[in-house]
Amino acid sequence: MNTALSWIKAYVPELACTDQEYTDAMTLTGTKVETFKRLDKNLDKIYVGQIESIEKHPDADKLIICQVNIGKETLQIVTGAPNVKVGDKVPVVIDGGKVAGGHDGGPLPEDGITIKNGKLRGVESFGMMCSIEELGSSRDMYPEAPELGIYIFPEDTEVGADAIEELGLRDTVFEYEITSNRVDCYSVLGIAREAAVTFGKPFIMPKVEVKGNGEKIEDYISVEVKDQELCPRYCARVCTNIKIAPSPKWMQRRLAASGIRPINNLVDITNYVMEEYGQPMHAFDLSTISGNKIIVRRAEDGEEFQTLDGQIRKLDKDMLMICDGEKEIGIAGIMGGENSKITDDVKTVLFEAAIFHGANIRKSAKRLGLRTEASGKFEKGLDPYNAEAAINRACQLIEELGCGEVVDGMIDVKAPLKELNRIPFKAERVNRLLGTDISQQEMLAIFERLELKALTEENGDKLLEIPSFRQDLEGIADIAEEVARFYGYDKIPTTLPSGEATTGKLPFKLRIEEKARDIAEYCGFSQGMCYSFESPRVFDKLLIPKEDVLRKAIVIANPLGEDFSIMRTISLNGMLTSLATNYNRRNKDVRLYELGNIYLPKEVPLTELPDERMEFTLGMYGDGDFFTMKGVVEEFFEAIGMDKKAVYDPNAGKPFLHPGRQANIIYDGKTVGYLGEVHPEVCDNYDIGTKAYVAVLDIPSLLPFATFNRKYRGIAKYPAVKRDISMVVPKEILAGQIEAMIAQRGGKILEHYELFDIYEGEQIKEGFKSMAYSIYFRANDRTLEEADVNGAMKKILNGLEGLGIELRQ
């Protein structure tokens, strides 16, 4: 994207800065300037002169001697130019002045060429008359310049004036590197907006008024769009009594500075509006449009079409075409057709300003091998609100330049335009993202200059209404970037990001999951991954009752099939399926684990997002039993800092687990999971021909109890005292109840305890079992005495007797 500084100043008239200051400031605010070029580089002491007389050189047939009035004096200049005559006004460089290069239009010298007074074939010459190439430009940019010879100014040019100023070369052209998300900056108005905010100057939008000639556009043309997905908006206006002529010099100079060759007023207007508004336009000769109707439709496979460049293009069904009542007249967004091109005889013109699907234009241009200035803009996705503004601007210029008359009204075929985006705004959140302390008032001042409208909701919260031309602003991070750009990146202090990532750690939840993997793999389990999509038949295989809440699953709107039609509410199906696959492939000892989500809806059908809960699922068969699985669970609890004893409640009531070999895992009064042997019928349903064991831990339930804080405890200085007790215990009394009593009654000197024997048999009376514990006592500050230990043991034994337990002698 190239723009002339003078064109920017047309919309930011108070802008005053050097070229380097402009480059640095715009780059720092995000509109990166790649380079800039002074158009008057190496041009000095060049004035408008008028030739007052011409005579032949006495000693050279191809040279002439001219007397040239430059306002303050008349100079004698010898030249070989064939195109000058008396009265012509020409650019004249005087003694000590500089030109950019030679008349041959070759590469320009870095420092230009200095002109000195001298003699040509014995006749003194005081200066030089210049061609357009010697002034550093070309006939592409100045089409009125002669192919060979001196540049001739219009007759009304003032003698003695600055020739460089008259040619529009007192200007600088800036080249920008625009990112593809900033479509608005592919226009002069977009760059001007950025410059206005960067330098804190007012931005003045062109005032567009179209008078019209009183006729109705419906009498001239109708438009039908058959594919609104590829063409969401099509605007058309008609201009009559067209008069083709050169466009004014100011327009030619602006186009030339942007690298566009001026052609005539009509073509230049469409190019001018494309550069100014960033909206490509196309002009059709209305007399070539059959049926006075425009139809926008897809092409047919194999169709051929001749474009304006004379080439025959082969089309396909994915390309969008502009057609009239009988034929194709243009490839949408890429190039018009030879059959509807503008000629010097045109009388009535149809202007088109449309919005086309960006990806479709890009793919079509690539397949055709035809990428144009227009397609390059369309493929980035244009602002649909901009099409109307651009076509009205073109019609205004038609009237202002005397190019024709504008018919009243506009044909506007469009799908419903997307509402303006609104983003919730909180200054403190922006400051957290940036690490700054910018006031809300200062942020709102920046937004106002950016044309972001601040709104206040009923509860007092702020919203920012985003103008349609800023399609890149989608969320609070984009808003924060706007604040950073114009507050100044150089003013933002160096701060560390907030949150746990600051110390280089994973978030706490992910550290718990990492520890789960470590413990599972340490205990011989391999990780598996199971589908979140399941079949409704899973609940029957797991023996889950019809009325169970687990059956209230989320149904997938577009499932791959019934086997993947619901979101899982329990993680066991995937685990048991994996165990079954291994069993049927004759793998003897298998241990698997999974960390995956289940999805529990609050109600069905959904009214809000479901509760997604991470489950740590363990499954195994072969070497190991219920207590092996229990040991893995307790190993995990210890690793994540859950130091209290978990309680195992056998009344879990899980239909998919063996009724006598299952338990809920309760920690500090809260159920955090379950484990047990898989019900034999469920094993048959999954074709597992051996005992299988599972454990499921609910990670969100564990998080409040987990910690990685560790307190150092030194090696004990004093000896421990060990006491063993053997008991006859009713079968209904659980080991957990006994251990809870020991912990409760043991006091401060109780160090730990462990079950070392359990027996049921003929020597124990019916309905009872024998259990034996080792109990260890130790004090941190002294050696324990017999009385200390005996007192603690007496309390423990009294408590156990209260449970109906007898001490074996």
Side-chain angles (χ1 to χ4, degrees):
M1 178 69 192
N2 295 347
T3 67
L5 186 60
S6 61
W7 202 348
I8 299 296
K9 287 183 177 180
Y11 314 117
V12 192
E14 295 181 21
L15 182 61
C17 58
T18 66
D19 296 338
Q20 193 60 53
E21 287 171 345
Y22 180 89
T23 297
D24 295 341
M26 292 292 282
T27 299
L28 283 174
T29 55
T31 309
K32 185 182 179 185
V33 178
E34 282 286 294
T35 185
F36 64 86
K37 176 187 177 183
R38 287 289 310 179
L39 297 182
D40 59 355
K41 181 182 178 182
N42 297 326
L43 299 180
D44 188 29
K45 296 183 180 180
I46 305 176
Y47 304 96
V48 176
Q50 184 170 24
I51 300 175
E52 295 186 335
S53 66
I54 297 176
E55 57 182 284
K56 291 184 177 181
H57 192 288
D59 294 324
D61 293 339
K62 293 184 178 181
L63 295 179
I64 56 176
I65 304 169
C66 301
Q67 304 299 320
V68 185
N69 176 14
I70 62 170
K72 55 186 178 181
E73 60 180 317
T74 299
L75 302 177
Q76 177 173 289
I77 299 176
V78 178
T79 181
N83 67 312
V84 293
K85 63 182 184 300
V86 173
D88 282 348
K89 295 178 179 178
V90 296
V92 177
V93 55
I94 64 175
D95 181 50
K98 295 177 72 174
V99 293
H103 67 278
D104 58 357
L108 301 180
E110 181 64 26
D111 297 323
I113 299 172
T114 302
I115 301 300
K116 299 289 185 182
N117 293 339
K119 290 184 178 181
L120 273 77
R121 291 288 187 97
V123 176
E124 289 186 311
S125 182
F126 302 94
M128 183 180 80
M129 293 180 284
C130 305
S131 67
I132 198 65
E133 289 78 14
E134 288 166 329
L135 298 176
S137 191
S138 67
R139 292 185 68 247
D140 285 340
M141 300 300 105
Y142 291 84
E144 73 278 12
E147 185 174 355
L148 296 171
I150 306 302
Y151 181 84
I152 309 298
F153 285 107
E155 293 181 3
D156 58 353
T157 307
E158 181 185 352
V159 174
D162 182 347
I164 304 307
E165 185 74 36
E166 292 293 326
L167 287 166
L169 294 175
R170 293 279 183 222
D171 205 350
T172 305
V173 175
F174 293 89
E175 180 183 342
Y176 307 87
E177 180 185 335
I178 307 297
T179 54
S180 58
N181 66 318
R182 289 302 305 273
V183 181
D184 57 305
C185 287
Y186 285 91
S187 68
V188 178
L189 287 176
I191 298 292
R193 280 193 181 97
E194 290 289 302
V197 182
T198 297
F199 291 95
K201 303 298 182 183
F203 169 74
I204 300 175
M205 189 76 177
K207 187 176 181 180
V208 178
E209 291 181 358
V210 182
K211 298 175 183 177
N213 64 0
E215 296 182 279
K216 294 182 179 180
I217 191 171
E218 290 79 9
D219 296 335
Y220 283 87
I221 195 71
S222 64
V223 175
E224 179 184 0
V225 177
K226 292 188 175 182
D227 194 326
Q228 285 201 328
E229 181 183 354
L230 298 185
C231 179
R233 188 171 195 184
Y234 191 99
C235 298
R237 295 202 70 165
V238 172
C239 298
T240 63
N241 297 323
I242 296 297
K243 302 175 182 65
I244 299 296
S247 54
K249 290 291 184 279
W250 61 266
M251 181 176 283
Q252 291 188 32
R253 301 300 175 251
R254 288 180 179 179
L255 289 174
S258 297
I260 298 175
R261 181 174 179 268
I263 297 175
N264 60 47
N265 51 4
L266 190 58
V267 176
D268 291 353
I269 284 171
T270 59
N271 286 333
Y272 185 86
V273 173
M274 179 174 70
E275 289 300 300
E276 184 180 40
Y277 278 76
Q279 170 67 51
M281 294 182 58
H282 191 70
F284 297 100
D285 185 341
L286 192 60
S287 66
T288 66
I289 297 178
S290 301
N292 283 27
K293 184 174 184 179
I294 292 292
I295 301 173
V296 184
R297 63 165 176 81
R298 290 176 182 255
E300 299 289 338
D301 281 332
E303 277 188 294
E304 292 186 343
F305 178 70
Q306 186 176 18
T307 47
L308 277 171
D309 58 2
Q311 299 293 313
I312 303 295
R313 310 284 177 178
K314 192 170 183 178
L315 311 176
D316 61 53
K317 62 181 177 58
D318 292 323
M319 296 177 184
L320 194 66
M321 300 298 295
I322 310 299
C323 309
D324 61 19
E326 297 178 356
K327 60 186 182 301
E328 300 86 359
I329 57 174
I331 304 176
I334 300 176
M335 186 176 281
E338 180 73 18
N339 56 7
S340 61
K341 69 179 181 180
I342 299 293
T343 66
D344 291 344
D345 299 326
V346 64
K347 297 300 179 186
T348 305
V349 164
L350 172 68
F351 274 132
E352 164 197 282
I355 301 298
F356 301 117
H357 191 279
N360 177 263
I361 296 298
R362 178 179 58 83
K363 292 175 182 177
S364 298
K366 187 174 182 179
R367 290 198 300 276
L368 289 168
L370 179 63
R371 194 170 188 274
T372 61
E373 183 80 12
S375 70
K377 292 183 185 293
F378 276 121
E379 67 187 25
K380 293 173 177 64
L382 300 183
D383 171 17
Y385 288 85
N386 194 36
E388 181 178 358
I391 201 169
N392 287 338
R393 173 65 163 162
C395 291
Q396 178 199 32
L397 291 172
I398 288 285
E399 291 180 338
E400 285 186 356
L401 304 186
C403 184
E405 299 175 3
V406 179
V407 174
D408 286 353
M410 177 180 73
I411 301 292
D412 188 3
V413 181
K414 61 186 176 184
L417 297 180
K418 183 180 177 182
E419 292 186 2
L420 297 181
N421 187 23
R422 292 184 175 184
I423 300 174
F425 162 66
K426 289 187 177 180
E428 57 271 21
R429 190 171 176 198
V430 171
N431 280 323
R432 282 201 305 271
L433 285 169
L434 298 179
T436 54
D437 187 22
I438 306 171
S439 69
Q440 177 174 295
Q441 185 177 1
E442 190 172 354
M443 291 185 192
L444 291 175
I446 291 173
F447 299 148
E448 184 179 2
R449 299 202 304 271
L450 286 167
E451 301 179 43
L452 276 59
K453 187 177 180 181
L455 306 174
T456 304
E457 295 188 288
E458 291 182 2
N459 61 4
D461 289 346
K462 292 287 186 184
L463 286 175
L464 293 177
E465 187 174 79
I466 310 303
S468 61
F469 58 82
R470 288 303 303 273
Q471 298 181 52
D472 58 305
L473 301 184
E474 297 178 345
I476 190 65
D478 302 314
I479 296 300
E481 182 184 6
E482 296 303 294
V483 173
R485 288 201 300 137
F486 296 107
Y487 173 73
Y489 289 115
D490 55 325
K491 297 179 185 176
I492 297 177
T494 301
T495 57
L496 288 173
S498 60
E500 290 193 16
T502 301
T503 56
K505 298 179 182 177
L506 289 171
F508 184 72
K509 177 178 178 291
L510 296 185
R511 292 173 68 195
I512 297 295
E513 293 174 16
E514 184 179 53
K515 189 60 69 174
R517 292 187 193 92
D518 291 345
I519 295 300
E521 290 167 10
Y522 170 76
C523 294
F525 289 75
S526 298
Q527 185 171 13
M529 297 189 71
C530 305
Y531 291 117
S532 295
F533 298 167
E534 291 186 333
S535 167
R537 294 192 295 270
V538 164
F539 302 122
D540 294 330
K541 293 177 71 175
L542 292 173
L543 309 181
I544 293 174
K546 297 292 184 185
E547 68 279 0
D548 197 292
V549 68
L550 292 176
R551 286 183 178 266
K552 295 180 180 178
I554 303 165
V555 178
I556 307 300
N558 54 342
L560 297 174
E562 188 182 3
D563 289 344
F564 302 97
S565 61
I566 62 169
M567 303 293 289
R568 66 177 179 176
T569 58
I570 185 170
S571 60
L572 284 185
N573 175 65
M575 178 58 67
L576 294 177
T577 301
S578 298
L579 291 177
T581 301
N582 279 276
Y583 178 80
N584 288 291
R585 292 182 181 174
R586 302 181 183 278
N587 292 326
K588 292 183 179 180
D589 298 311
V590 174
R591 296 187 178 192
L592 299 173
Y593 78 93
E594 182 200 9
L595 281 163
N597 285 340
I598 60 171
Y599 305 85
L600 305 177
K602 295 174 184 177
E603 58 179 307
V604 177
L606 287 178
T607 56
E608 55 183 309
L609 292 176
D611 184 14
E612 298 186 28
R613 304 187 71 84
M614 175 64 70
E615 302 281 280
F616 178 28
T617 306
L618 298 152
M620 70 178 190
Y621 68 79
D623 184 18
D625 57 14
F626 178 95
F627 297 102
T628 306
M629 187 66 81
K630 178 171 173 282
V632 177
V633 170
E634 292 181 345
E635 186 90 22
F636 172 57
F637 285 176
E638 183 181 351
I640 62 174
M642 295 171 61
D643 295 331
K644 294 181 181 179
K645 283 280 186 178
V647 175
Y648 297 87
D649 179 7
N651 300 312
K654 305 295 182 187
F656 40 81
L657 298 180
H658 193 293
R661 300 167 192 166
Q662 61 173 278
N664 276 337
I665 305 168
I666 301 172
Y667 189 88
D668 201 16
K670 183 175 181 180
T671 301
V672 296
Y674 58 87
L675 80 161
E677 180 184 326
V678 179
H679 196 291
E681 187 177 341
V682 174
C683 283
D684 289 342
N685 290 339
Y686 282 91
D687 200 17
I688 302 174
T690 186
K691 292 181 179 180
Y693 301 90
V694 295
V696 178
L697 297 174
D698 185 55
I699 295 295
S701 298
L702 297 175
L703 294 180
F705 306 114
T707 179
F708 290 104
N709 294 331
R710 296 289 189 268
K711 186 175 180 180
Y712 172 74
R713 297 167 67 179
I715 298 173
K717 296 180 180 179
Y718 303 97
V721 177
K722 175 187 175 187
R723 294 291 173 86
D724 292 339
I725 58 172
S726 181
M727 301 165 287
V728 178
V729 182
K731 282 189 176 181
E732 64 270 14
I733 299 297
L734 303 176
Q737 294 174 267
I738 296 172
E739 292 172 0
M741 185 61 67
I742 295 173
Q744 179 186 347
R745 300 271 180 134
K748 293 182 179 180
I749 63 172
L750 177 66
E751 186 173 65
H752 74 279
Y753 49 84
E754 59 186 35
L755 174 68
F756 67 86
D757 183 62
I758 184 168
Y759 172 74
E760 294 181 41
E762 295 178 357
Q763 299 177 11
I764 305 298
K765 57 185 177 180
E766 188 175 351
F768 287 79
K769 57 188 173 184
S770 172
M771 300 179 71
Y773 276 87
S774 293
I775 304 175
Y776 297 85
F777 300 94
R778 192 194 304 265
N780 293 328
D781 56 351
R782 59 191 172 88
T783 300
L784 290 175
E785 297 180 359
E786 188 74 15
D788 298 322
V789 177
N790 288 341
M793 283 300 299
K794 186 176 180 179
K795 291 179 181 180
I796 292 171
L797 294 174
N798 288 339
L800 293 175
E801 287 175 5
L803 296 174
I805 297 172
E806 300 174 10
L807 187 66
R808 295 183 70 183
Q809 301 298 327

